[in-house]
Amino acid sequence: MTRHIRHAAFFCALLLIALLANAARIQVIEARTYDDNIANRRGTIARYGQPRGDILVGGTPVTGSRDTGEHLRYERTYTNGPMYAPVTGFASQVYGTTFLEHTEDGVLAGTDPLLSPFPMWKGVARDRNPGGDVLTTLHRGAQEAAYEGLTGRKGAVAAVEPSTGRILALVSAPSYDPSVLSGNGPAVARSWATLNRDQDKPMLNRAVRKTYPPGSTFKVVTAAAALDAGVVKKLDKRTDSEDPYTLPGTRTSLTNESEGCTDVPLRKAFEWSCNTVFAKLGVRVGVKRMAATAKAFGFNDADLRIPFSVAESTFDTKVDKAQLALSSIGQYNTRATPLQMAMVAAAVANGGQVRSPYLVERRTRAGGSTVATGGSRSVRQAMRPSTAALLKELMVDVVREGTGSNAWIPGATVGGKTGTAQHGLGNSGTPYAWFVSWAQGDLDLEPKVAVAVVVEDADPDRGDISGGGDAAPIARAVMKAVLKSPSDDRR
């Protein structure tokens, strides 16, 4: 009898060991598989079972959480949703997350190990902390000015602080309210379908996810390349530039919107935006040096993150001389995001240095303690400091005496460059109106803001379909908002 009891006890012990081993296999080895199983709703329930952390602008939340009392308890809310949508993106219970809601999801949802006082235990227990907050670099006044300036228009605005790379404004128009995608009811699906059917593409972030031909604003890059290469040594020396200019190897003639561009000095060619002068300068610089200068400004960089990805701005490196001529005036295959062109203006303002742009100042726990900071990352020298000083002169002349006069601000030094970019089949589309600029208050030690504005639906009835008429007033409003703010209020 005793022998049978021992056998039974031994068998029960084996069963217990097998049970524990299987439990360990499920809880540790295969935990990830079960967590990711589409039938497992515990993670989803937990995710929406507590308020989400907030995204802040100038210390004030532009997001929130609403208690619905339902199974998926908390839904995302947005303050001034359309104005901040290109920054926040959306957080939807059905369609996931985009932009900062996506890249900062770990902090906002409370799952990032940095939020736990005991990160090692956090990884083992897989618990969820209260959602943390994300503080952006946005300047509230600049964002509002950009959004108001684009009201009723189609286009985008990007503004950065030249010395640091902080993004001060990021606006895309038309926009949408992310809150209509927050829940999981039938209205959310209808809103999603409506937004995706809209031919104006309100969910497209034109500031960072759409590239445009930059037109004459790219002449800033061409001028930098020509000055650095020694092709042009003095701003007021006459150039060898015919008008019209026959593109090399072709019978195609390139003309100008302005008269009197034959052999004009670089200063006047920049002020009057002479296509023929800059096209020939690009050819004389050569594709290798033009491409190198464009790359130093940020073109052909597919890895830029702010922290969400930015569409690659491109300068074609495999072109013949005729194509290079057109590329050098911002046409052919040259494409740029508004953020990229803001970086170009910022490089001029910052002595030739390009600071990588960034959007997140710091991340904090729910109690306010900082767990991570942003800050500028890489620095590139796009041109010699002496070249940047000359380009500042040229851009100031455009505002003082040329096509950028609508950007002039009393009590400040403003530099700018207008642009008109042809597009469409046979250049039949309404030209895009561009303006890139920077501004420095008379009492400031350095330029405080660089801006790029593109307007897609420029007024075709105006004699000057250029950034001077359509885009410069928007840039002026953004720059004024930054310059008039005390430094302590800018974040």
Side-chain angles (χ1 to χ4, degrees):
M1 185 68 179
T2 303
R3 181 168 60 86
H4 292 298
I5 294 175
R6 282 201 304 270
H7 288 169
F10 180 73
F11 183 67
C12 288
L14 287 177
L15 291 177
L16 180 61
I17 292 171
L19 181 63
L20 292 174
N22 188 56
R25 177 182 64 83
I26 293 173
Q27 294 290 333
V28 179
I29 298 174
E30 297 186 9
R32 179 69 64 181
T33 302
Y34 286 104
D35 282 343
D36 297 338
N37 192 302
I38 193 172
N40 180 13
R41 290 180 53 81
R42 294 184 63 184
T44 303
I45 294 171
R47 176 182 179 85
Y48 298 108
Q50 67 177 26
R52 191 169 172 83
D54 285 321
I55 298 171
L56 283 73
V57 174
T60 303
V62 296
T63 60
S65 295
R66 181 173 71 90
D67 189 349
T68 66
E70 299 177 357
H71 201 48
L72 301 182
R73 185 171 174 180
Y74 288 94
E75 291 181 1
R76 197 58 151 162
T77 62
Y78 296 88
T79 302
N80 296 321
M83 181 165 68
Y84 292 107
V87 174
T88 63
F90 60 77
S92 171
Q93 294 178 353
V94 179
Y95 300 107
T97 54
T98 58
F99 300 132
L100 284 187
E101 292 278 29
H102 180 71
T103 60
E104 303 301 314
D105 184 67
V107 172
L108 298 169
T111 59
D112 194 309
L114 290 173
L115 299 177
S116 174
F118 306 105
M120 293 298 293
W121 172 250
K122 159 79 176 170
V124 174
R126 298 196 298 276
D127 56 348
R128 185 180 296 267
N129 295 295
D133 294 334
V134 175
L135 285 71
T136 70
T137 60
L138 291 182
H139 184 291
R140 182 178 292 274
Q143 185 79 3
E144 291 174 351
Y147 183 73
E148 291 172 4
L150 283 175
T151 299
R153 310 300 297 269
K154 187 185 296 183
V157 177
V160 300
E161 187 175 65
S163 61
T164 63
R166 288 185 176 94
I167 296 175
L168 304 178
L170 208 63
V171 170
S172 177
S175 189
Y176 71 105
D177 187 352
S179 64
V180 301
L181 302 176
S182 293
N184 55 22
V188 172
R190 289 194 297 269
S191 297
W192 178 261
T194 300
L195 289 169
N196 280 282
R197 283 196 305 264
D198 193 327
Q199 294 183 350
D200 287 335
K201 298 182 179 179
M203 288 197 294
L204 172 62
N205 190 339
R206 289 171 164 84
V208 296
R209 292 283 175 86
K210 183 174 181 178
T211 60
Y212 302 83
S216 293
T217 59
F218 190 78
K219 291 171 184 173
V220 176
V221 179
T222 302
L227 289 165
D228 269 357
V231 172
V232 176
K233 296 181 179 179
K234 295 182 180 180
L235 300 184
D236 296 304
K237 183 178 180 180
R238 292 175 67 85
T239 58
D240 179 17
S241 309
E242 57 268 32
D243 182 11
Y245 172 57
T246 302
L247 298 178
T250 74
R251 296 180 180 178
T252 303
S253 294
L254 182 66
T255 58
N256 299 292
E257 294 294 329
S258 302
E259 296 182 356
C261 286
T262 302
D263 296 335
V264 294
L266 183 63
R267 187 186 302 276
K268 291 302 180 184
F270 196 87
E271 182 181 325
W272 298 340
S273 204
C274 295
N275 289 331
T276 53
V277 175
F278 284 92
K280 189 170 184 179
L281 283 178
V283 173
R284 291 179 63 192
V285 171
V287 65
K288 186 175 181 179
R289 294 201 68 156
M290 278 296 301
T293 300
K295 181 178 181 180
F297 274 100
F299 285 79
N300 298 334
D301 180 4
D303 299 321
L304 181 61
R305 302 287 187 273
I306 61 169
F308 47 81
S309 63
V310 177
E312 180 181 3
S313 298
T314 57
F315 182 85
D316 199 334
T317 60
K318 298 179 180 179
V319 290
D320 59 27
K321 289 185 177 180
Q323 294 164 341
L324 176 59
L326 295 176
S327 298
S328 300
I329 59 171
Q331 297 289 165
Y332 189 58
N333 286 340
T334 304
R335 309 280 298 186
T337 62
L339 178 61
Q340 172 59 59
M341 294 314 297
M343 291 167 60
V344 169
V348 175
N350 196 40
Q353 286 190 339
V354 179
R355 293 276 184 174
S356 291
Y358 66 99
L359 189 54
V360 174
E361 193 74 75
R362 65 181 185 273
R363 303 161 181 87
T364 69
R365 296 187 179 94
S369 59
T370 299
V371 296
T373 58
S376 185
R377 292 157 289 174
S378 61
V379 180
R380 296 188 305 276
Q381 194 71 37
M383 60 191 136
R384 293 196 300 261
S386 58
T387 296
L390 293 175
L391 277 172
K392 287 180 76 173
E393 282 188 42
L394 296 179
M395 295 182 75
V396 169
D397 287 346
V398 169
V399 174
R400 285 179 177 170
E401 304 174 9
T403 56
S405 59
N406 283 337
W408 180 72
I409 300 173
T413 300
V414 180
K417 182 70 186 80
T418 57
T420 302
Q422 304 292 336
H423 69 101
L425 185 62
N427 291 333
S428 59
T430 300
Y432 297 139
W434 276 95
F435 191 72
V436 300
S437 59
W438 53 267
Q440 177 177 348
D442 289 346
L443 300 180
D444 293 328
L445 298 178
E446 60 187 7
K448 294 300 181 183
V449 57
V451 185
V453 179
V454 62
V455 178
E456 295 184 25
D457 50 357
D459 188 349
D461 295 327
R462 291 186 181 178
D464 177 24
I465 307 179
S466 74
D470 292 278
I474 300 173
R476 179 178 184 270
V478 173
M479 292 186 292
K480 281 188 67 176
V482 175
L483 292 178
K484 75 176 183 180
S485 300
S487 58
D488 291 343
D489 296 337
R490 291 182 184 178
R491 250 58 86 196

